[in-house]
Amino acid sequence: LRQSLPFGRKSFPLWGGRKRNIPLRVSDRITTPVSFGFFHSSIILPKEMTREGSLMQDAILYHEWIHIR
């Protein structure tokens, strides 16, 4: 996490119409996406996955969001 770089934020839906913003980070030191943290969660993507199409990237991000919820 210390060697990852900010990549933006993604807003995920919560119950009752609220949303939660999760920081996204990118790293060239990992090969698979990871969700990290308990109280201050973030999702770290491998550098190669930042070039994926938006549909594939959304699917990956929602998969990691499930781990955080």
Side-chain angles (χ1 to χ4, degrees):
L1 180 64
R2 291 181 187 165
Q3 296 175 346
S4 63
L5 299 171
F7 185 62
R9 297 181 84 75
K10 175 77 175 168
S11 183
F12 291 93
L14 295 175
W15 297 108
R18 297 179 325 204
K19 293 186 177 187
R20 180 173 176 195
N21 288 318
I22 302 291
L24 302 179
R25 300 189 66 82
V26 66
S27 173
D28 60 355
R29 295 183 175 255
I30 59 172
T31 57
T32 60
V34 231
S35 49
F36 185 85
F38 187 72
F39 292 109
H40 302 286
S41 304
S42 60
I43 296 173
I44 307 172
L45 295 172
K47 188 175 182 179
E48 296 80 34
M49 275 191 192
T50 59
R51 296 183 208 109
E52 297 285 337
S54 63
L55 257 145
M56 177 62 107
Q57 196 174 71
D58 280 348
I60 292 166
L61 292 173
Y62 275 102
H63 174 87
E64 292 303 318
W65 164 243
I66 297 294
H67 296 298
I68 293 172
R69 283 188 3 178

